[in-house]
Every structure is written in C-alpha cells, then in structure tokens.
Amino acid sequence: MEDILKVEDLQIHFPVTKGVVFKKQVATVKAVDGVSFSVKRGETLGVVGESGSGKSTTGLALMHMLRVTKGRIVFEGQDVTTFSRAQVKQFRRRVQMVFQDPFGSLNPRMKVKDIIGEPLVAHGLAKDRSRYQARVAELLRMVGLLPDMAERYAHEFSGGQCQRIGIARALALEPSLIVCDEPVSALDVSIQAQVINIFKDLQKRLGLTYVFIAHDLAVVRHISDRIAVMYLGRIVEIASREDLYRNPKHPYTQALLSAVPEADVDAECHRAHIALKGEIPSPLRVPSGCRFHTRCPSATERCRTQDPPMREQGAAHSVACHLYA
Ligand code: SF4
C-alpha cells in the first residue's frame, strides 16, 4: 500500500514577543520540533503523548490550520505547506478532522441536518433539497443514528451521540484521511468503545485512513496499526501496535504502558508501575541532550548532553534513546 501521508522534519515554533509597539522576540515555543512519519492508505497511526507533547499541534498542522516553521507535509504526493488558498479548499475535501469536545465543537443552536450538511453547502455539493436531505440521512445512518434525528438540535444529544454527529459531518465530503484529535477522551469509558467501533467499521467500509491522537495508550490500542509516541515536540518511539505493546523500548513508552490497567485482576496486582518524576517540561525550555532526561529513570551523564537520534530497532520499530545505540 502506498503512503497517503508523509511528514518530513516538521517544526512548528511560536515566537514569544515582548513590547506593544516594537515587538521583540524574547523566546521560542518549540511545540513540534522535528517530527517525521508516514501513514499508508487505509492504515491507522495512533499518536500518543501527554498534554504538551505536540500531538494536537501536529494534528492541526496536518489540517493546514497552522503555519509550519519548517518541514514538509506531503499528502497524496503534494506538499500541503505550499498550497494556495484554492488548493487548501480542495484539500479540505480530502482531509477532515474530528475534535475532542463533542459538545463544544457543534453549534447547539443549529439543527443536526445543518451541522452535517454545512460542508456540502460550503463546497457546492448540495445540488437540491431532496438530494441534500438524502445525503444527511445516509450520513446519520452510517454513524448509527436515525435519519429523523436530523431535525433536532445538537444540545438534545448525549456526548456519544454528539461525537457521532461530528463524525458524520467529517464524512460528508468523502475524505480519504481523517485526523481524530482525542475523539473519545471526553466520553464515558462505556461509550468510548462504541465510538471506536464506529471508527473501525467506517474504515473497513470506506477505506479511510486515520491519524488517531490520544493521551494514553489504552485508547489507541484497539484501533491503531502503528503507534507513534511523542514527548516534548518529538516522536521518541514508533512501532507496530503488537511490537509496541509487547516490546516497548523507550523508557517513556514503558512508563506510559505501565499506567494502562490490565484486564486481568491478578496481572494488574503484580504489575510494576513506573512513576515518572515531575511534569513534562515547558516547550519554552526544552532540556539539553535527550529532552526526556529530567524525568527518565535510566538517564546517564551522556543523556544530559547528547540528543539521541531515531534508530531502527528491527522491522518498522524505531526509537530515540541512547540505551539502543
Ligand atoms: Fe532516558 Fe537517556 Fe534514553 Fe533519554 S536517552 S530516554 S534520558 S536513557
């Protein structure tokens, strides 16, 4: 299968300025700082990391919603970062986003049919009223909702139903790639599984590709083919799902995995939890050397001064850590 998306050395830096009239740059927030990965058509890449790891900023950049400082985002063979306004409009038909907050991302004063149909109108695809209504009904059915819900308002729905509406809206333009930014984090655990199953079912039926962003490894486990672990603006490990869960290499991945509860009570009781020291540092002050060294239980003197490059550790498994030099 060919790569539908290729991200090369992506950097998104934000200047911090001082002064009202003569703005002077005093610092730089390195939100994303040299991220590279690719995604195959029909695949799901899970992107995991704590808040502040740069995963959502990466997602927004994939959607062409942020100015890229450096690097390339190549989608279906074209570098998105060089797109004109007209090209971005076409691009939006091919790439859509599902957001974290199902209530906040939908206008409560709009009827569901208008929320789902808005992209059709914006792209001139609502040819006539009956075809518009038929398409909205079809999209509602695709996400397990009833067509007569089209006449209701978003505020009348539960969180899980609102997220289904958000997915239906994202599907309206028949995209090939959907960037899912923590789409189940705000939902009850029982509802999370239902929504993840909808994503999986739609992928099978429509051949969709997902970049699925989450803050813990439990959520991405059931949907991802491969998983990238991000820390402070970088990918520190990327591997197939099986490999990552069976043989996590980076100390940060190991710590994240140790926080995922086991289904088996016995196994859960005997499992070692790795507690990380402190909080993720500010991207304003990225630590020298390995950026994880301030929290890493295995850090050595070398880690404080030398930035570990990404190294391949077997087929489709790479890690940035001096322990694997
Ligand atoms: Fe820890 Fe050093 Fe590996 Fe960084 S390079 S993850 S500090 S052992």
Side-chain angles (χ1 to χ4, degrees), residues 8-13 32 34 67-73 81:
E8 297 169 358
D9 194 23
L10 183 68
Q11 291 185 11
I12 300 164
H13 294 178
V32 177
R67 187 192 294 269
V68 166
T69 309
K70 191 179 162 230
R72 293 185 351 130
I73 298 172
T81 61

Side-chain angles (χ1 to χ4, degrees), residues 18 21 41 49 59 98 114 120 126 194 249 309 316-317:
K18 214 173 155 186
V21 183
R41 193 177 289 279
V98 174
D114 299 321
L120 299 172
Q194 289 175 16
K249 292 185 184 293
H317 193 157

Side-chain angles (χ1 to χ4, degrees), residues 1-6 37-45 74-76 176-177 203 207-211 225-226 316:
M1 206 59 95
E2 92 275 28
D3 288 336
I4 188 171
L5 177 70
K6 218 168 165 30
F37 62 86
S38 58
V39 188
K40 298 213 176 298
R41 193 177 289 279
E43 184 186 42
T44 299
L45 176 74
V74 180
F75 174 72
E76 293 183 332
S176 46
L177 171 70
Q203 184 170 48
L208 292 165
T209 306
Y210 297 136
V211 173
D225 298 297
R226 286 184 306 129

Side-chain angles (χ1 to χ4, degrees), residues 250-252 290-294 296-300 303-304 306 308 320-323:
H250 197 282
Y252 181 57
C290 171
R291 51 191 65 202
F292 186 56
H293 86 254
T294 54
C296 181
S298 310
T300 63
C303 304
R304 284 178 241 286
Q306 289 179 30
C321 173
H322 292 311
L323 296 176

